[in-house]
């Protein structure tokens, strides 16, 4: 704390991302990164963008990328917004759409960045408990509160909501903006993008960080009717005109063009998720049904914190969250087959060791 801080900064409680330590031989399954590299074509495009043209500002509208995303998702470029990772796109959505007179609604267990944006932007919010099976129940969001944001699949549970349920939510709450955060949707969820034509209040946010293995490039986007996109653009142009540099725009474009690589790698992750779920179940864990690139699991005899700490000593990083309903659980990112083998071997050792 310093005398130079603004009142706003004194009151913040920032988001804490998963750690990125430099431990040799580390198996890193704590931040939902992809175990595979990005498409080789994306890497090549980023390399080509590292050229003399870097002295020039990039296209502030990211027009080519927005056109490609529009093509890909069967919408128009006026229905696409891009930003520096979906975290930035979400921040703009909070400012542009989710700050309403009545409190913003989101689940009690969800992406822990949401309350952080609320604090930064002075947004009142109310959390809605997940049901007994840790699921989002759309009925709980009807007839109450202001705008709504839901991660689908939810984090850190990994549980997905069916498109028909999202349509019901958008229809029944046509009085407010509804934002779906689809960071993990490519691993088995149903995207709400096909619904935007019928729902002027629906904004869908996606990222290239997970299923396209481009977390380091920082590219996220939102899809919704032009009025909603214009609201985001107004905030962006009051904040940073050039959120995506030339390498990011070029790399994202090339990734989008490599459909075969995208399909292959996401299928491999879903396959690895099935085998990890089976191994964890054999080890006595209860594993929530995941449609994401991670699983959320708990062991009846070992606390989440103890499991995570013991694995860390064996150079395997997973994530533990302390919090009322989730402290028993650990969240494990779906890694490569070799990484998951290291994880399950280490886990078997940890569970067998006396005192754990
Ligand atoms: N939404 C959810 C639910 C997430 O877990 C994450 C990753 N931490 C993000 C959005 C942001 O991802 P990025 O900024 O890399 O697009």
């Amino acid at each position: 704390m310093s005398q130079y801080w603004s009142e706003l900064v004194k009151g913040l409680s920032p988001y804490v991302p998963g750690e990125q330590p430099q431990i040799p031989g580390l198996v890193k399954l704590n931040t939902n990164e992809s175990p595979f590299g990005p498409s080789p074509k994306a890497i090549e495009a980023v390399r080509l963008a590292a050229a003399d043209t870097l002295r020039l500002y990039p296209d502030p509208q990211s027009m080519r990328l927005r056109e490609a995303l529009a093509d890909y998702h069967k919408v128009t470029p006026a229905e696409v917004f891009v930003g520096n990772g979906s975290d930035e796109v979400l921040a703009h959505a909070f400012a542009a759409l989710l700050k309403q007179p009545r409190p913003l609604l989101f689940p009690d267990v969800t992406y822990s960045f949401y309350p952080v944006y609320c604090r930064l932007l002075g947004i009142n919010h109310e959390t809605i408990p997940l049901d007994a099976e840790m699921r989002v129940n759309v009925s709980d969001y009807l007839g109450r509160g202001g705008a709504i944001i839901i991660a689908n699949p939810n984090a850190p549970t990994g549980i997905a909501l069916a498109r028909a349920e999202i349509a019901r939510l958008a229809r029944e709450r046509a009085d407010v903006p509804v934002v779906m955060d689809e960071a993990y949707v490519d691993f088995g969820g149903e995207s709400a993008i096909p619904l935007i034509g019928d729902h002027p209040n629906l904004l869908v946010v996606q990222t290239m960080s997970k299923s396209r293995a481009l977390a380091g490039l920082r590219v996220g986007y939102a899809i919704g009717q032009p009025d909603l996109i214009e609201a985001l653009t107004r905030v962006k142009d009051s904040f940073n005109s050039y959120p995506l540099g030339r390498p990011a725009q070029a790399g994202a474009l090339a990734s989008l063009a490599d459909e075969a690589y995208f399909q292959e790698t996401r299928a491999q992750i879903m396959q690895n998720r099935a085998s990890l779920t089976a191994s964890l179940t054999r080890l006595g864990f209860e594993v929530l049904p995941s449609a994401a690139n991670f699983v959320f699991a708990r062991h009846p005899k070992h606390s989440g914190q103890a499991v995570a700490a013991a694995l860390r000593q064996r150079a395997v990083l997973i994530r533990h969250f302390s919090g009322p309903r989730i402290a028993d659980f650990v969240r494990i990112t779906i890694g490569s087959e070799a990484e998951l083998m290291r994880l399950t071997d280490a886990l078997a050792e940890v569970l067998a060791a006396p005192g754990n």
Side-chain angles (χ1 to χ4, degrees), residues 15 17-22 26-38 87 183-184 187 207-218 261 265-266 268-270 272-273 276 292-295 317-319 331-337 339-340:
Y15 175 73
E19 53 179 334
Q20 301 281 0
Q22 302 296 323
L26 180 70
V27 174
K28 192 171 177 304
L29 304 173
N30 67 328
T31 49
N32 299 341
E33 289 146 327
S34 171
F36 310 114
D87 277 340
Y184 301 104
F187 303 105
T207 178
M208 295 202 166
S209 295
K210 319 288 180 181
S211 56
R212 295 184 179 276
L214 288 172
L217 203 62
R218 312 306 299 130
Y261 188 85
T265 46
R266 77 184 182 113
Q268 184 69 57
I269 285 169
M270 289 189 276
N272 291 1
R273 180 178 67 211
L276 175 63
N293 69 338
F294 56 84
V295 292
L317 267 198
I318 61 172
R319 190 121 194 232
R331 191 195 69 187
I332 306 173
T333 301
I334 308 302
S336 65
E337 278 172 280
E339 287 173 321
L340 295 180

Short mmCIF file of all heavy atoms in Angstrom, two decimals, residues 15 17-22 26-38 87 183-184 187 207-218 261 265-266 268-270 272-273 276 292-295 317-319 331-337 339-340:
data_model
loop_
_atom_site.label_atom_id
_atom_site.label_comp_id
_atom_site.label_asym_id
_atom_site.label_seq_id
_atom_site.Cartn_x
_atom_site.Cartn_y
_atom_site.Cartn_z
N TYR A 15 -7.13 -10.94 -9.42
CA TYR A 15 -7.14 -12.37 -9.77
C TYR A 15 -5.73 -12.93 -9.64
O TYR A 15 -4.75 -12.24 -9.94
CB TYR A 15 -7.62 -12.51 -11.22
CG TYR A 15 -7.58 -13.92 -11.76
CD1 TYR A 15 -8.51 -14.87 -11.34
CD2 TYR A 15 -6.64 -14.30 -12.71
CE1 TYR A 15 -8.49 -16.16 -11.84
CE2 TYR A 15 -6.61 -15.60 -13.23
CZ TYR A 15 -7.53 -16.52 -12.78
OH TYR A 15 -7.51 -17.80 -13.29
N PRO A 17 -3.48 -15.79 -11.13
CA PRO A 17 -3.39 -16.88 -12.11
C PRO A 17 -2.56 -18.04 -11.56
O PRO A 17 -1.80 -17.87 -10.61
CB PRO A 17 -2.68 -16.22 -13.32
CG PRO A 17 -2.06 -14.97 -12.81
CD PRO A 17 -2.65 -14.64 -11.47
N GLY A 18 -2.73 -19.22 -12.17
CA GLY A 18 -1.93 -20.38 -11.78
C GLY A 18 -0.45 -20.07 -11.95
O GLY A 18 -0.05 -19.31 -12.84
N GLU A 19 0.38 -20.67 -11.10
CA GLU A 19 1.81 -20.32 -11.14
C GLU A 19 2.49 -20.88 -12.40
O GLU A 19 2.03 -21.85 -13.00
CB GLU A 19 2.53 -20.81 -9.88
CG GLU A 19 2.30 -22.28 -9.61
CD GLU A 19 3.04 -22.76 -8.36
OE1 GLU A 19 4.07 -22.17 -7.98
OE2 GLU A 19 2.61 -23.77 -7.80
N GLN A 20 3.56 -20.20 -12.80
CA GLN A 20 4.34 -20.59 -13.99
C GLN A 20 5.80 -20.79 -13.56
O GLN A 20 6.70 -20.06 -13.98
CB GLN A 20 4.27 -19.49 -15.07
CG GLN A 20 2.88 -19.13 -15.57
CD GLN A 20 2.33 -20.14 -16.58
OE1 GLN A 20 2.99 -21.12 -16.93
NE2 GLN A 20 1.12 -19.92 -17.05
N PRO A 21 6.07 -21.78 -12.69
CA PRO A 21 7.43 -21.91 -12.15
C PRO A 21 8.39 -22.56 -13.14
O PRO A 21 7.96 -23.24 -14.06
CB PRO A 21 7.24 -22.82 -10.93
CG PRO A 21 6.04 -23.63 -11.25
CD PRO A 21 5.19 -22.84 -12.21
N GLN A 22 9.69 -22.33 -12.92
CA GLN A 22 10.74 -22.93 -13.76
C GLN A 22 11.33 -24.11 -13.01
O GLN A 22 12.37 -23.99 -12.38
CB GLN A 22 11.83 -21.89 -14.06
CG GLN A 22 11.36 -20.63 -14.75
CD GLN A 22 10.81 -20.90 -16.15
OE1 GLN A 22 11.31 -21.74 -16.87
NE2 GLN A 22 9.74 -20.20 -16.52
N LEU A 26 9.27 -30.45 -15.06
CA LEU A 26 7.94 -30.25 -14.47
C LEU A 26 6.83 -30.75 -15.40
O LEU A 26 6.85 -30.51 -16.60
CB LEU A 26 7.76 -28.74 -14.24
CG LEU A 26 6.43 -28.30 -13.64
CD1 LEU A 26 6.35 -28.73 -12.19
CD2 LEU A 26 6.29 -26.78 -13.72
N VAL A 27 5.85 -31.44 -14.82
CA VAL A 27 4.62 -31.77 -15.56
C VAL A 27 3.60 -30.71 -15.15
O VAL A 27 3.18 -30.65 -14.00
CB VAL A 27 4.12 -33.19 -15.20
CG1 VAL A 27 2.78 -33.45 -15.86
CG2 VAL A 27 5.14 -34.22 -15.65
N LYS A 28 3.26 -29.86 -16.10
CA LYS A 28 2.49 -28.66 -15.76
C LYS A 28 1.02 -28.83 -16.16
O LYS A 28 0.68 -28.68 -17.33
CB LYS A 28 3.13 -27.46 -16.48
CG LYS A 28 2.60 -26.16 -15.98
CD LYS A 28 3.38 -25.00 -16.54
CE LYS A 28 2.76 -23.70 -16.06
NZ LYS A 28 1.35 -23.61 -16.41
N LEU A 29 0.20 -29.13 -15.18
CA LEU A 29 -1.22 -29.40 -15.46
C LEU A 29 -2.08 -28.47 -14.61
O LEU A 29 -3.11 -28.87 -14.07
CB LEU A 29 -1.53 -30.88 -15.15
CG LEU A 29 -0.67 -31.91 -15.90
CD1 LEU A 29 -0.94 -33.32 -15.39
CD2 LEU A 29 -0.91 -31.83 -17.41
N ASN A 30 -1.62 -27.20 -14.47
CA ASN A 30 -2.31 -26.30 -13.54
C ASN A 30 -2.98 -25.09 -14.19
O ASN A 30 -3.70 -24.36 -13.50
CB ASN A 30 -1.32 -25.79 -12.47
CG ASN A 30 -0.26 -24.88 -13.06
OD1 ASN A 30 0.14 -25.05 -14.20
ND2 ASN A 30 0.18 -23.91 -12.29
N THR A 31 -2.78 -24.83 -15.48
CA THR A 31 -3.39 -23.61 -16.04
C THR A 31 -4.15 -23.87 -17.34
O THR A 31 -4.41 -22.93 -18.11
CB THR A 31 -2.35 -22.49 -16.28
OG1 THR A 31 -1.25 -23.03 -16.97
CG2 THR A 31 -1.87 -21.86 -14.99
N ASN A 32 -4.52 -25.12 -17.58
CA ASN A 32 -5.36 -25.46 -18.74
C ASN A 32 -4.76 -25.03 -20.08
O ASN A 32 -5.48 -24.65 -21.00
CB ASN A 32 -6.78 -24.87 -18.58
CG ASN A 32 -7.47 -25.42 -17.36
OD1 ASN A 32 -7.09 -26.46 -16.84
ND2 ASN A 32 -8.50 -24.73 -16.89
N GLU A 33 -3.42 -25.10 -20.14
CA GLU A 33 -2.76 -24.88 -21.42
C GLU A 33 -2.83 -26.18 -22.22
O GLU A 33 -3.09 -27.25 -21.67
CB GLU A 33 -1.30 -24.48 -21.20
CG GLU A 33 -1.17 -23.08 -20.63
CD GLU A 33 -0.02 -22.90 -19.68
OE1 GLU A 33 0.33 -23.85 -18.97
OE2 GLU A 33 0.54 -21.80 -19.63
N SER A 34 -2.58 -26.07 -23.54
CA SER A 34 -2.60 -27.25 -24.38
C SER A 34 -1.25 -27.97 -24.28
O SER A 34 -0.21 -27.33 -24.25
CB SER A 34 -2.85 -26.85 -25.83
OG SER A 34 -2.67 -27.97 -26.67
N PRO A 35 -1.27 -29.31 -24.25
CA PRO A 35 0.00 -30.03 -24.25
C PRO A 35 0.64 -30.04 -25.64
O PRO A 35 1.81 -30.38 -25.80
CB PRO A 35 -0.39 -31.46 -23.86
CG PRO A 35 -1.81 -31.60 -24.28
CD PRO A 35 -2.43 -30.23 -24.18
N PHE A 36 -0.13 -29.69 -26.65
CA PHE A 36 0.39 -29.68 -28.03
C PHE A 36 0.73 -28.24 -28.39
O PHE A 36 0.11 -27.31 -27.88
CB PHE A 36 -0.66 -30.22 -28.99
CG PHE A 36 -1.23 -31.54 -28.54
CD1 PHE A 36 -2.56 -31.65 -28.17
CD2 PHE A 36 -0.41 -32.66 -28.46
CE1 PHE A 36 -3.07 -32.87 -27.74
CE2 PHE A 36 -0.92 -33.87 -28.01
CZ PHE A 36 -2.25 -33.98 -27.66
N GLY A 37 1.65 -28.05 -29.27
CA GLY A 37 1.95 -26.70 -29.74
C GLY A 37 0.80 -26.20 -30.60
O GLY A 37 -0.11 -26.95 -30.94
N PRO A 38 0.87 -24.91 -30.96
CA PRO A 38 -0.12 -24.40 -31.91
C PRO A 38 0.11 -25.03 -33.29
O PRO A 38 1.14 -25.67 -33.51
CB PRO A 38 0.16 -22.91 -31.95
CG PRO A 38 1.41 -22.66 -31.21
CD PRO A 38 1.84 -23.90 -30.52
N ASP A 87 -9.80 -12.71 -21.58
CA ASP A 87 -9.88 -11.91 -20.35
C ASP A 87 -10.16 -10.44 -20.67
O ASP A 87 -10.97 -9.80 -20.00
CB ASP A 87 -8.57 -12.01 -19.56
CG ASP A 87 -8.49 -13.28 -18.71
OD1 ASP A 87 -9.54 -13.87 -18.41
OD2 ASP A 87 -7.37 -13.66 -18.32
N ALA A 183 -14.75 -20.36 -23.10
CA ALA A 183 -13.31 -20.62 -23.21
C ALA A 183 -13.00 -22.09 -23.50
O ALA A 183 -12.03 -22.40 -24.18
CB ALA A 183 -12.61 -20.18 -21.92
N TYR A 184 -13.86 -22.99 -22.98
CA TYR A 184 -13.56 -24.44 -23.08
C TYR A 184 -14.52 -25.19 -23.98
O TYR A 184 -14.58 -26.42 -23.95
CB TYR A 184 -13.57 -25.05 -21.67
CG TYR A 184 -12.57 -24.38 -20.76
CD1 TYR A 184 -12.98 -23.46 -19.79
CD2 TYR A 184 -11.21 -24.62 -20.90
CE1 TYR A 184 -12.06 -22.82 -18.97
CE2 TYR A 184 -10.28 -23.99 -20.09
CZ TYR A 184 -10.71 -23.09 -19.13
OH TYR A 184 -9.79 -22.47 -18.34
N PHE A 187 -14.08 -28.54 -26.41
CA PHE A 187 -13.73 -29.89 -25.93
C PHE A 187 -14.98 -30.71 -25.61
O PHE A 187 -14.95 -31.58 -24.75
CB PHE A 187 -12.81 -29.78 -24.71
CG PHE A 187 -11.55 -29.00 -24.98
CD1 PHE A 187 -11.41 -27.71 -24.49
CD2 PHE A 187 -10.53 -29.55 -25.75
CE1 PHE A 187 -10.24 -26.98 -24.73
CE2 PHE A 187 -9.37 -28.83 -26.01
CZ PHE A 187 -9.23 -27.54 -25.50
N THR A 207 -12.00 -18.10 -26.98
CA THR A 207 -10.57 -17.80 -26.91
C THR A 207 -9.77 -18.75 -27.79
O THR A 207 -10.21 -19.87 -28.04
CB THR A 207 -10.05 -17.92 -25.45
OG1 THR A 207 -8.64 -17.67 -25.44
CG2 THR A 207 -10.29 -19.30 -24.85
N MET A 208 -8.62 -18.30 -28.23
CA MET A 208 -7.70 -19.17 -28.96
C MET A 208 -6.66 -19.77 -28.02
O MET A 208 -5.74 -20.47 -28.45
CB MET A 208 -7.04 -18.40 -30.09
CG MET A 208 -8.04 -17.96 -31.15
SD MET A 208 -7.24 -17.62 -32.71
CE MET A 208 -8.68 -17.55 -33.80
N SER A 209 -6.79 -19.50 -26.71
CA SER A 209 -5.77 -19.94 -25.76
C SER A 209 -5.77 -21.43 -25.50
O SER A 209 -4.73 -22.01 -25.18
CB SER A 209 -5.97 -19.23 -24.41
OG SER A 209 -5.76 -17.86 -24.54
N LYS A 210 -6.95 -22.06 -25.57
CA LYS A 210 -7.05 -23.45 -25.11
C LYS A 210 -7.04 -24.41 -26.29
O LYS A 210 -6.07 -25.11 -26.51
CB LYS A 210 -8.33 -23.62 -24.28
CG LYS A 210 -8.65 -22.47 -23.34
CD LYS A 210 -7.73 -22.41 -22.15
CE LYS A 210 -8.11 -21.24 -21.25
NZ LYS A 210 -7.25 -21.10 -20.09
N SER A 211 -8.13 -24.44 -27.06
CA SER A 211 -8.24 -25.43 -28.13
C SER A 211 -7.33 -25.12 -29.31
O SER A 211 -7.08 -25.99 -30.13
CB SER A 211 -9.69 -25.52 -28.60
OG SER A 211 -10.16 -24.26 -29.01
N ARG A 212 -6.83 -23.90 -29.40
CA ARG A 212 -5.88 -23.58 -30.47
C ARG A 212 -4.45 -23.39 -29.95
O ARG A 212 -3.56 -22.96 -30.69
CB ARG A 212 -6.34 -22.35 -31.26
CG ARG A 212 -7.63 -22.62 -32.00
CD ARG A 212 -8.10 -21.49 -32.86
NE ARG A 212 -9.33 -21.89 -33.53
CZ ARG A 212 -9.39 -22.60 -34.66
NH1 ARG A 212 -8.28 -22.93 -35.28
NH2 ARG A 212 -10.54 -22.94 -35.17
N ALA A 213 -4.26 -23.69 -28.67
CA ALA A 213 -2.91 -23.72 -28.07
C ALA A 213 -2.16 -22.40 -28.27
O ALA A 213 -0.95 -22.39 -28.50
CB ALA A 213 -2.10 -24.88 -28.64
N LEU A 214 -2.88 -21.28 -28.20
CA LEU A 214 -2.25 -19.98 -28.43
C LEU A 214 -2.35 -19.07 -27.20
O LEU A 214 -2.48 -17.85 -27.33
CB LEU A 214 -2.88 -19.30 -29.65
CG LEU A 214 -2.51 -19.91 -31.01
CD1 LEU A 214 -3.35 -19.29 -32.13
CD2 LEU A 214 -1.03 -19.74 -31.32
N ALA A 215 -2.25 -19.67 -26.00
CA ALA A 215 -2.36 -18.86 -24.78
C ALA A 215 -1.32 -17.74 -24.76
O ALA A 215 -1.58 -16.65 -24.26
CB ALA A 215 -2.22 -19.75 -23.55
N GLY A 216 -0.15 -18.01 -25.33
CA GLY A 216 0.92 -17.02 -25.32
C GLY A 216 0.75 -15.90 -26.33
O GLY A 216 1.47 -14.91 -26.29
N LEU A 217 -0.20 -16.06 -27.26
CA LEU A 217 -0.38 -15.03 -28.29
C LEU A 217 -1.41 -13.99 -27.86
O LEU A 217 -1.39 -12.86 -28.33
CB LEU A 217 -0.82 -15.70 -29.60
CG LEU A 217 -0.55 -14.94 -30.89
CD1 LEU A 217 0.94 -14.72 -31.10
CD2 LEU A 217 -1.13 -15.69 -32.09
N ARG A 218 -2.32 -14.39 -26.97
CA ARG A 218 -3.38 -13.54 -26.41
C ARG A 218 -4.39 -13.11 -27.49
O ARG A 218 -4.39 -11.96 -27.95
CB ARG A 218 -2.79 -12.28 -25.71
CG ARG A 218 -1.66 -12.51 -24.75
CD ARG A 218 -1.98 -13.52 -23.67
NE ARG A 218 -3.10 -13.11 -22.82
CZ ARG A 218 -4.14 -13.91 -22.54
NH1 ARG A 218 -4.23 -15.13 -23.04
NH2 ARG A 218 -5.12 -13.48 -21.78
N TYR A 261 -5.61 -29.56 -38.16
CA TYR A 261 -4.80 -29.60 -36.93
C TYR A 261 -5.68 -29.36 -35.70
O TYR A 261 -5.55 -30.03 -34.67
CB TYR A 261 -3.69 -28.55 -37.01
CG TYR A 261 -2.70 -28.64 -35.88
CD1 TYR A 261 -1.63 -29.52 -35.95
CD2 TYR A 261 -2.84 -27.86 -34.74
CE1 TYR A 261 -0.71 -29.61 -34.91
CE2 TYR A 261 -1.94 -27.95 -33.69
CZ TYR A 261 -0.87 -28.82 -33.78
OH TYR A 261 0.02 -28.92 -32.75
N THR A 265 -6.09 -32.18 -32.72
CA THR A 265 -5.58 -31.96 -31.36
C THR A 265 -6.71 -31.93 -30.34
O THR A 265 -6.57 -32.46 -29.25
CB THR A 265 -4.74 -30.66 -31.27
OG1 THR A 265 -5.45 -29.61 -31.94
CG2 THR A 265 -3.39 -30.82 -31.93
N ARG A 266 -7.85 -31.37 -30.72
CA ARG A 266 -8.92 -31.35 -29.71
C ARG A 266 -9.48 -32.76 -29.51
O ARG A 266 -9.84 -33.14 -28.39
CB ARG A 266 -9.99 -30.31 -30.03
CG ARG A 266 -10.97 -30.67 -31.09
CD ARG A 266 -11.93 -29.54 -31.39
NE ARG A 266 -12.89 -30.00 -32.38
CZ ARG A 266 -14.18 -30.17 -32.14
NH1 ARG A 266 -14.68 -29.87 -30.97
NH2 ARG A 266 -14.97 -30.62 -33.09
N GLN A 268 -7.71 -35.48 -29.66
CA GLN A 268 -6.71 -36.16 -28.81
C GLN A 268 -6.91 -35.77 -27.34
O GLN A 268 -6.82 -36.62 -26.44
CB GLN A 268 -5.31 -35.77 -29.29
CG GLN A 268 -4.19 -36.46 -28.55
CD GLN A 268 -4.13 -37.94 -28.88
OE1 GLN A 268 -4.01 -38.31 -30.05
NE2 GLN A 268 -4.24 -38.80 -27.86
N ILE A 269 -7.20 -34.50 -27.10
CA ILE A 269 -7.40 -34.06 -25.71
C ILE A 269 -8.66 -34.72 -25.12
O ILE A 269 -8.65 -35.17 -23.97
CB ILE A 269 -7.44 -32.52 -25.64
CG1 ILE A 269 -6.01 -32.02 -25.81
CG2 ILE A 269 -8.04 -32.03 -24.32
CD1 ILE A 269 -5.85 -30.55 -26.01
N MET A 270 -9.71 -34.83 -25.92
CA MET A 270 -10.93 -35.48 -25.41
C MET A 270 -10.68 -36.96 -25.12
O MET A 270 -11.17 -37.51 -24.15
CB MET A 270 -12.08 -35.27 -26.39
CG MET A 270 -12.56 -33.81 -26.40
SD MET A 270 -14.08 -33.54 -27.33
CE MET A 270 -13.46 -33.38 -28.97
N ASN A 272 -7.70 -38.25 -24.29
CA ASN A 272 -6.88 -38.29 -23.06
C ASN A 272 -7.72 -38.02 -21.82
O ASN A 272 -7.46 -38.57 -20.75
CB ASN A 272 -5.73 -37.27 -23.14
CG ASN A 272 -4.70 -37.65 -24.18
OD1 ASN A 272 -4.84 -38.65 -24.87
ND2 ASN A 272 -3.66 -36.82 -24.33
N ARG A 273 -8.75 -37.17 -21.98
CA ARG A 273 -9.64 -36.88 -20.84
C ARG A 273 -10.37 -38.16 -20.42
O ARG A 273 -10.50 -38.44 -19.23
CB ARG A 273 -10.65 -35.80 -21.23
CG ARG A 273 -11.61 -35.43 -20.11
CD ARG A 273 -12.56 -34.33 -20.53
NE ARG A 273 -13.48 -34.75 -21.57
CZ ARG A 273 -13.98 -33.96 -22.52
NH1 ARG A 273 -13.68 -32.67 -22.55
NH2 ARG A 273 -14.80 -34.44 -23.43
N LEU A 276 -7.84 -40.37 -18.61
CA LEU A 276 -7.52 -39.84 -17.28
C LEU A 276 -8.70 -40.06 -16.32
O LEU A 276 -8.49 -40.44 -15.16
CB LEU A 276 -7.19 -38.33 -17.35
CG LEU A 276 -6.96 -37.69 -15.98
CD1 LEU A 276 -5.75 -38.29 -15.27
CD2 LEU A 276 -6.78 -36.18 -16.09
N ALA A 292 -14.49 -30.15 -20.80
CA ALA A 292 -13.42 -29.14 -20.92
C ALA A 292 -12.06 -29.82 -21.06
O ALA A 292 -11.98 -31.04 -21.11
CB ALA A 292 -13.45 -28.23 -19.69
N ASN A 293 -10.97 -29.04 -21.11
CA ASN A 293 -9.64 -29.64 -21.19
C ASN A 293 -9.03 -29.80 -19.80
O ASN A 293 -7.82 -29.68 -19.61
CB ASN A 293 -8.72 -28.85 -22.13
CG ASN A 293 -8.35 -27.50 -21.57
OD1 ASN A 293 -9.06 -26.96 -20.71
ND2 ASN A 293 -7.25 -26.92 -22.02
N PHE A 294 -9.90 -30.05 -18.82
CA PHE A 294 -9.46 -30.34 -17.45
C PHE A 294 -10.55 -31.18 -16.80
O PHE A 294 -11.67 -31.27 -17.32
CB PHE A 294 -9.25 -29.04 -16.65
CG PHE A 294 -10.47 -28.15 -16.62
CD1 PHE A 294 -11.49 -28.35 -15.71
CD2 PHE A 294 -10.62 -27.11 -17.54
CE1 PHE A 294 -12.62 -27.54 -15.69
CE2 PHE A 294 -11.75 -26.30 -17.54
CZ PHE A 294 -12.75 -26.52 -16.61
N VAL A 295 -10.18 -31.83 -15.70
CA VAL A 295 -11.20 -32.50 -14.89
C VAL A 295 -11.14 -31.95 -13.47
O VAL A 295 -10.09 -31.47 -13.02
CB VAL A 295 -11.04 -34.04 -14.87
CG1 VAL A 295 -11.31 -34.64 -16.24
CG2 VAL A 295 -9.67 -34.45 -14.34
N LEU A 317 2.42 -30.36 -11.28
CA LEU A 317 1.61 -29.23 -10.82
C LEU A 317 0.17 -29.40 -11.26
O LEU A 317 -0.11 -29.55 -12.45
CB LEU A 317 2.12 -27.94 -11.43
CG LEU A 317 3.12 -27.07 -10.71
CD1 LEU A 317 3.11 -25.67 -11.33
CD2 LEU A 317 2.85 -27.00 -9.22
N ILE A 318 -0.75 -29.34 -10.30
CA ILE A 318 -2.18 -29.28 -10.62
C ILE A 318 -2.72 -28.09 -9.83
O ILE A 318 -1.97 -27.42 -9.13
CB ILE A 318 -2.92 -30.59 -10.26
CG1 ILE A 318 -2.82 -30.88 -8.76
CG2 ILE A 318 -2.36 -31.75 -11.09
CD1 ILE A 318 -3.68 -32.04 -8.32
N ARG A 319 -4.02 -27.80 -9.93
CA ARG A 319 -4.52 -26.60 -9.24
C ARG A 319 -5.51 -26.97 -8.15
O ARG A 319 -6.39 -27.81 -8.35
CB ARG A 319 -5.16 -25.65 -10.26
CG ARG A 319 -5.49 -24.28 -9.67
CD ARG A 319 -4.80 -23.14 -10.37
NE ARG A 319 -4.89 -21.92 -9.56
CZ ARG A 319 -5.33 -20.74 -9.99
NH1 ARG A 319 -5.68 -20.59 -11.24
NH2 ARG A 319 -5.37 -19.69 -9.18
N ARG A 331 -8.17 -29.55 -9.61
CA ARG A 331 -8.43 -29.40 -11.03
C ARG A 331 -7.17 -29.81 -11.79
O ARG A 331 -6.08 -29.31 -11.51
CB ARG A 331 -8.78 -27.95 -11.37
CG ARG A 331 -9.31 -27.80 -12.80
CD ARG A 331 -9.31 -26.35 -13.23
NE ARG A 331 -7.94 -25.86 -13.41
CZ ARG A 331 -7.63 -24.59 -13.65
NH1 ARG A 331 -8.57 -23.67 -13.75
NH2 ARG A 331 -6.36 -24.22 -13.80
N ILE A 332 -7.34 -30.73 -12.70
CA ILE A 332 -6.20 -31.28 -13.43
C ILE A 332 -6.38 -31.01 -14.92
O ILE A 332 -7.37 -31.44 -15.53
CB ILE A 332 -6.07 -32.80 -13.20
CG1 ILE A 332 -6.03 -33.11 -11.70
CG2 ILE A 332 -4.84 -33.34 -13.92
CD1 ILE A 332 -6.07 -34.60 -11.37
N THR A 333 -5.43 -30.29 -15.52
CA THR A 333 -5.47 -30.04 -16.96
C THR A 333 -5.17 -31.33 -17.72
O THR A 333 -4.31 -32.11 -17.30
CB THR A 333 -4.42 -28.97 -17.32
OG1 THR A 333 -4.70 -27.79 -16.58
CG2 THR A 333 -4.43 -28.66 -18.82
N ILE A 334 -5.87 -31.53 -18.84
CA ILE A 334 -5.60 -32.72 -19.66
C ILE A 334 -4.28 -32.50 -20.41
O ILE A 334 -4.19 -31.63 -21.28
CB ILE A 334 -6.73 -32.96 -20.68
CG1 ILE A 334 -8.10 -32.99 -19.98
CG2 ILE A 334 -6.48 -34.26 -21.45
CD1 ILE A 334 -8.26 -34.02 -18.90
N GLY A 335 -3.29 -33.30 -20.06
CA GLY A 335 -1.99 -33.19 -20.72
C GLY A 335 -1.83 -34.22 -21.82
O GLY A 335 -2.81 -34.84 -22.27
N SER A 336 -0.59 -34.42 -22.24
CA SER A 336 -0.27 -35.47 -23.22
C SER A 336 -0.36 -36.82 -22.51
O SER A 336 -0.40 -36.89 -21.27
CB SER A 336 1.13 -35.25 -23.76
OG SER A 336 2.06 -35.42 -22.70
N GLU A 337 -0.31 -37.91 -23.29
CA GLU A 337 -0.35 -39.24 -22.67
C GLU A 337 0.81 -39.43 -21.70
O GLU A 337 0.63 -39.97 -20.60
CB GLU A 337 -0.31 -40.32 -23.76
CG GLU A 337 -1.67 -40.57 -24.38
CD GLU A 337 -1.59 -41.48 -25.59
OE1 GLU A 337 -1.24 -40.98 -26.67
OE2 GLU A 337 -1.85 -42.68 -25.43
N GLU A 339 2.49 -37.13 -20.04
CA GLU A 339 2.29 -36.32 -18.83
C GLU A 339 1.26 -36.97 -17.91
O GLU A 339 1.43 -36.99 -16.69
CB GLU A 339 1.81 -34.91 -19.22
CG GLU A 339 2.88 -34.04 -19.85
CD GLU A 339 2.33 -32.73 -20.38
OE1 GLU A 339 1.22 -32.72 -20.95
OE2 GLU A 339 3.04 -31.72 -20.25
N LEU A 340 0.21 -37.51 -18.50
CA LEU A 340 -0.84 -38.11 -17.67
C LEU A 340 -0.33 -39.39 -17.01
O LEU A 340 -0.72 -39.71 -15.88
CB LEU A 340 -2.10 -38.35 -18.50
CG LEU A 340 -2.76 -37.04 -19.00
CD1 LEU A 340 -4.01 -37.34 -19.82
CD2 LEU A 340 -3.10 -36.09 -17.85
#
